[in-house]
Amino acid sequence: MENKIAVIAIIVSEYNAVETVNAVLHDFRAYVVGRMGIPYRQKNVNIISVVLDAPPEILNSLSGKLGMISGVTSKVLTAK
């Protein structure tokens, strides 16, 4: 199956979840083009944008794993 270019937006609202999110992203590092993290201290959240070049099943797997982490919200946007 052909790879898709995608962006995953991640909001981490529980500090304890940061290590787990980073571990999951590390597991998918072969597909990561780049990432940007912004700590928004005034609101006690961390915002991460990750650009990927991956098959749809990999994007779905990553999104699912992130969605199972307590205190984490994520959404995937794929290019047409």
Side-chain angles (χ1 to χ4, degrees):
M1 188 167 275
E2 190 172 322
N3 283 6
K4 297 263 187 188
I5 304 298
V7 177
I8 297 185
I10 306 164
I11 298 177
V12 183
S13 59
E14 291 182 20
Y15 183 76
N16 296 341
V18 171
E19 283 186 41
T20 307
V21 169
N22 282 325
V24 169
L25 292 175
H26 181 77
D27 290 342
F28 290 84
R29 68 190 175 276
Y31 303 100
V32 174
V33 175
R35 68 182 269 183
M36 176 180 61
I38 302 170
Y40 191 2
R41 291 181 184 90
Q42 293 87 345
K43 300 290 183 177
N44 292 320
V45 297
N46 293 294
I47 302 150
I48 306 168
S49 296
V50 183
V51 177
L52 300 121
D53 185 357
E57 62 270 9
I58 295 295
L59 297 172
N60 292 335
S61 177
L62 175 55
S63 179
K65 288 182 183 203
L66 290 170
M68 290 189 289
I69 303 170
S70 178
V72 175
T73 304
S74 67
K75 296 291 179 189
V76 179
L77 175 67
T78 57
K80 292 184 180 182

